[in-house]
Amino acid sequence: MINYFLRRLLWLIPVMFTVSLVTFFIMRSAPGSPWDGAAENRRSLDPATQKALEKFYGLDKPVWRQFLAYTFGDFDDDKKFVCGAMCGNLGPSYRQKGLTIQQILFVPFGDNDSFWYSRFGYSLRLGLFALAIAIIIGIPVGMIAALKQNTWVDYLGLFTTTAGVSVPSFVLGLFLIIIFASMLHWINVIPKTWNELKYWILPSIVLGFNTSSFTARLTRAAMLEVMRQDYVRTARAKGLAERVVVVGHMLKNALIPVVTILGPALAGLVTGSFIVETLFSFPGMGRAYIQSIGQRDYSMIMGTTLIYALLVALANVSVDFVYVFIDPRIRLEK
Amino acid sequence: MPDLLLDVKGLETQFKTPDGIIHAVNGVSFVLKEGETLGVVGESGCGKSVTMLSVLGLIPSPPGKIIAGEAFFMGQDLLKMSSEEIRHVRGAQLSMVFQDPMTSLNPVLTVGHQLEEPLMLHVGMSRNQASERAAELLGMVGIPKPKDRLKDYPHQFSGGMRQRVMIAMALSCSPQVLIADEPTTALDVTIQAQIIELVKRLRDEIGMAIVWITHDLGIVAGLAQRVAVMYGGFIIEESPVADLYTNPEHPYTIGLLGSLPRLDQKINKKLTSIEGLPPVLYQKPHFCPFAPRCKWVMERCWKENPTLETVGPEHRVACWVDTKTGRPRS
């Protein structure tokens, strides 16, 4: 089994290389440059300064060389090898002076110096909250809907979850901001501090609503499948209490498909929060990513994309890993 | 009558489907005496399993519904019990073994866990006691190294082994009645024989009564003392086993026995079958359900549904025709 996972992890290398390759060339084929103010309605730098900056960042070299330098590394002026993204060196930011991408994303800012207060930490926390909402609401709703199949409870659940998977997060987000910030004044539209828990509630709900609805629908479908199984009848024939039958015999089987989507779901929530972060002025990675695209901050775009890709890839490997523990029938080849 | 373990009267069960109501069981009555083995025979969909599931309160509801009848178990009506009360009977005094051992055990729980559940629930054992007893039970049904196998999952057992586990589970609380719903249908013939031998041995050791549902008349002959033949949701003939084979009265029973392949018959002789198809029970039949397929059919058969009449010692049949003479029964 260890061999199997080592092999899966080795496969990440070509995956990450491909992501890097595609992102780099798409990014560079987009018009504009970090010093071209057009995208931000700002004056461009004078040509002499642009030339100097291009030399400083190595943009005067051929594009293929820049790609290899970013991904693998290159020799500097003193013939010393400087390792690139493969060593975790995501390069200097073109727009935030003196900071590397890893510093921008992973070093905490503000008055708290825990990792959770870095841009990545903020996004991760938001993702975890959203996932918690998805689990706490999604699984029970799906379970109850299945147990009460074809009653008004089931129909209500189906209606809400259908809405949940089809309403886009910017619609729900704006809607909630209008109600709770503009009309009820329970929170500020732009919070002064993110250290208060109440400001986390709306973004977490908006981000988690979709996943929560999806989880509920998946749980419902899995439960309906399991409820008809012979072993559930066997459990009842033993005289077990309904609660034991549902929790001990049905849920354990029904949750197998649900648990396996939770890893990718978390990766999706952490990486998919651009809209929610922008909507709520949230100081996370997603908003930094969106900004960096507008600013043509090349190394920031590359760095963030690679981190997102790695997260999603690892989440998918983790599914296979988790399977072994929750389903005794699965044994991976030696 | 204290020697009556199970006394079912006028049981009727229906299923609501999108196409209409299916009348699966239409007034079935039977008794089971202490220590007796009753065979229930009939083709697929004739209501054998539904009858027994109804008695145990295991009909999925909705769509199923028991609309009439009584089922006395040691003097108490199972059909009137609350779901809480019947829970204490199920698995403890009345237990059931199902048809398909491949799907009847929970795939994500160990065999030990599934065996221990009823022991802890009904007998009140601790986990350790239950675990020891579970190993004994596995040994009793002939599974080697029972202690080690408690930790295994159902997929690590073969079909025959799983049915042994199911039997061990059903017998764990020493029930008075074991209902076996085609327990050997999904198994191959050699394993079938082993399972039947096992059940016979355990019956003699424990002394429980058995209701054995099957469509295999051969199994019933070697196992049961009495046989009930079902057709279209009715019991149409009921008789001691020897009498049924030598002296079948109902046209359907005669047809069933006639369609059995025999070792002493000529090679290349075609197997006989009963013409026609079993009824689809969207309406409760007001005439004899077997009439459309019956060789002896008379005018009366299309007008009235016959009820069970005694024709010999403990031998009852529901038919307007005396199949011996071909004349109406007087």
Side-chain angles (χ1 to χ4, degrees):
Chain A
M1 200 176 90
I2 292 166
N3 282 336
Y4 175 80
F5 283 106
L6 281 179
R7 223 167 47 224
R8 285 295 302 269
L9 290 176
L10 280 177
W11 264 105
L12 292 183
I13 294 170
V15 169
M16 294 307 289
F17 176 79
T18 313
V19 170
S20 183
L21 186 77
V22 172
T23 315
F24 191 88
F25 286 98
I26 288 179
M27 175 180 82
R28 294 306 294 271
S29 56
S33 85
W35 300 285
D36 172 9
E40 294 166 274
N41 279 329
R42 149 174 90 63
R43 226 158 27 87
S44 299
L45 295 172
D46 67 82
T49 320
Q50 283 197 23
K51 266 250 149 40
L53 280 167
E54 272 176 15
K55 185 158 174 49
F56 176 76
Y57 284 110
L59 293 180
D60 52 344
K61 290 178 187 157
V63 178
W64 63 267
R65 180 109 189 247
Q66 290 178 41
F67 168 70
L68 293 179
Y70 187 86
T71 312
F72 299 107
D74 203 354
F75 295 96
D76 63 7
D77 296 338
D78 307 326
K79 300 274 178 245
K80 226 179 83 198
F81 186 73
V82 181
C83 195
M86 67 174 187
C87 304
N89 177 17
L90 301 176
S93 169
Y94 290 22
R95 299 300 293 261
Q96 301 187 43
K97 220 175 133 195
L99 288 177
T100 60
I101 303 308
Q102 54 270 36
Q103 278 171 329
I104 293 173
L105 294 179
F106 295 105
V107 173
F109 53 90
D111 39 10
N112 200 311
D113 56 357
S114 136
F115 160 76
W116 294 104
Y117 290 83
S118 64
R119 284 192 178 276
F120 182 77
Y122 268 101
S123 285
L124 185 60
R125 271 195 287 166
L126 186 62
L128 286 171
F129 280 137
L131 186 71
I133 286 175
I135 294 171
I136 292 167
I137 296 176
I139 291 177
V141 165
M143 220 173 96
I144 292 165
L147 291 173
K148 307 264 176 205
Q149 195 196 2
N150 295 335
T151 64
W152 66 271
V153 182
D154 185 26
Y155 295 137
L156 183 71
L158 274 179
F159 176 79
T160 320
T161 52
T162 307
V165 289
S166 29
V167 171
S169 58
F170 56 88
V171 174
L172 181 69
L174 284 175
F175 200 61
L176 293 182
I177 288 175
I178 289 170
I179 294 175
F180 292 102
S182 313
M183 288 164 70
L184 296 172
H185 298 290
W186 288 2
I187 53 163
N188 299 330
V189 177
I190 298 174
K192 287 184 201 73
T193 166
W194 284 94
N195 292 342
E196 267 183 73
L197 198 63
K198 67 173 180 184
Y199 290 112
W200 289 77
I201 297 173
L202 283 193
S204 307
I205 289 176
V206 174
L207 187 58
F209 194 54
N210 213 291
T211 312
S212 164
S213 303
F214 183 68
T215 310
R217 295 178 74 88
L218 190 65
T219 309
R220 177 180 178 273
M223 279 292 280
L224 286 178
E225 172 72 31
V226 168
M227 278 162 70
R228 292 189 280 108
Q229 296 294 319
D230 287 346
Y231 54 78
V232 171
R233 189 180 55 187
T234 309
R236 289 220 173 86
K238 283 196 272 192
L240 298 177
E242 196 55 27
R243 187 177 43 81
V244 181
V245 175
V246 171
V247 178
H249 285 256
M250 290 188 200
L251 205 55
K252 244 185 151 155
N253 283 284
L255 285 188
I256 290 174
V258 180
V259 169
T260 53
I261 64 143
L262 290 183
L266 178 63
L269 289 172
V270 173
T271 59
S273 54
F274 324 111
I275 293 170
V276 175
E277 291 189 11
T278 311
L279 210 54
F280 288 90
S281 311
F282 186 85
M285 203 158 96
R287 198 153 63 101
Y289 190 37
I290 296 286
Q291 279 169 2
S292 72
I293 293 172
Q295 296 171 340
R296 298 284 185 275
D297 189 343
Y298 291 147
S299 46
M300 184 73 175
I301 297 173
M302 284 299 292
T304 322
T305 309
L306 287 178
I307 290 169
Y308 281 162
L310 189 65
L311 275 178
V312 174
L314 284 177
N316 283 315
V317 176
S318 74
V319 169
D320 284 10
F321 194 67
V322 169
Y323 245 131
V324 179
F325 290 98
I326 57 173
D327 191 339
R329 284 164 294 184
I330 307 262
R331 285 286 167 272
L332 299 167
E333 43 168 334
K334 286 265 155 58
Chain B
M1 280 184 284
D3 61 334
L4 279 191
L5 265 182
L6 204 53
D7 185 3
V8 176
K9 291 175 183 163
L11 183 72
E12 281 186 48
T13 306
Q14 301 179 343
F15 289 91
K16 252 199 193 124
T17 71
D19 300 331
I21 292 173
I22 300 226
H23 300 260
V25 178
N26 300 309
V28 161
S29 306
F30 65 92
V31 295
L32 184 69
K33 295 184 208 121
E34 217 160 293
E36 178 189 46
T37 301
L38 171 71
V40 179
V41 189
E43 58 201 359
S44 304
C46 71
K48 315 176 293 256
S49 302
V50 176
T51 303
M52 294 308 154
L53 289 171
S54 301
V55 168
L56 276 178
L58 287 174
I59 290 290
S61 170
K65 202 176 172 208
I66 298 168
I67 58 160
E70 293 164 310
F72 290 100
F73 172 67
M74 315 226 297
Q76 280 179 298
D77 190 350
L78 295 168
L79 303 185
K80 289 206 175 61
M81 283 187 182
S82 70
S83 55
E84 190 60 26
E85 286 169 327
I86 198 165
R87 246 179 8 86
H88 293 288
V89 179
R90 275 205 302 251
Q93 292 155 298
L94 256 174
S95 59
M96 192 152 177
V97 176
F98 298 100
Q99 178 170 358
D100 193 349
M102 305 310 275
T103 56
S104 291
L105 287 164
N106 194 323
V108 300
L109 301 174
T110 61
V111 162
H113 179 99
Q114 298 186 55
L115 277 166
E116 288 155 19
E117 271 179 335
L119 289 167
M120 297 197 294
L121 179 76
H122 297 300
V123 190
M125 288 185 175
S126 69
R127 186 163 281 277
N128 284 338
Q129 288 171 315
S131 167
E132 244 168 70
R133 176 78 182 128
E136 276 175 35
L137 286 163
L138 281 190
M140 182 180 85
V141 295
I143 288 179
K145 294 194 199 157
K147 268 218 166 76
D148 304 333
R149 303 234 55 184
L150 289 180
K151 289 187 296 291
D152 286 349
Y153 289 93
H155 70 273
Q156 287 159 300
F157 288 75
S158 68
M161 286 292 186
R162 284 190 224 184
Q163 198 58 292
R164 285 170 193 262
V165 172
M166 288 295 294
I167 291 169
M169 202 152 78
L171 299 183
S172 58
C173 303
S174 313
Q176 278 98 335
V177 180
L178 174 73
I179 297 173
D181 185 358
E182 306 204 31
T184 57
T185 305
L187 305 173
D188 63 61
V189 185
T190 46
I191 308 295
Q192 254 183 33
Q194 289 175 11
I195 295 288
I196 291 165
E197 278 314 306
L198 172 71
V199 171
K200 275 191 196 166
R201 197 191 86 216
L202 295 172
R203 176 183 65 187
D204 298 339
E205 281 172 23
I206 302 171
M208 73 228 166
I210 297 176
V211 178
W212 190 284
I213 304 172
T214 182
H215 54 243
D216 189 336
L217 285 161
I219 291 177
V220 168
L223 194 68
Q225 280 109 44
R226 261 184 335 119
V227 187
V229 183
M230 285 191 73
Y231 188 82
F234 297 93
I235 290 182
I236 47 115
E237 183 159 10
E238 200 190 334
S239 146
V241 68
D243 203 18
L244 188 87
Y245 284 84
T246 53
N247 200 12
E249 290 280 348
H250 197 282
Y252 178 62
T253 317
I254 294 170
L256 271 187
L257 289 169
S259 60
L260 277 182
R262 298 179 64 105
L263 275 178
D264 53 5
Q265 90 193 355
K266 262 192 259 148
I267 299 174
N268 295 335
K269 187 172 172 272
K270 255 196 178 169
L271 290 174
T272 44
S273 62
I274 306 175
E275 298 278 314
L277 290 169
V280 184
L281 300 163
Y282 283 125
Q283 268 128 32
K284 189 174 170 179
H286 50 82
F287 53 87
C288 176
F290 190 64
R293 300 168 76 180
C294 187
K295 277 192 270 185
W296 283 272
V297 66
M298 320 181 299
E299 205 169 316
R300 191 177 185 188
C301 303
W302 296 103
K303 288 186 181 141
E304 279 176 85
N305 192 359
T307 48
L308 283 172
E309 300 290 342
T310 306
V311 293
E314 284 192 79
H315 193 156
R316 300 190 300 158
V317 66
C319 186
W320 296 125
V321 190
D322 185 343
T323 45
K324 297 269 178 333
T325 60
R327 294 221 188 93
R329 230 177 261 287
S330 48

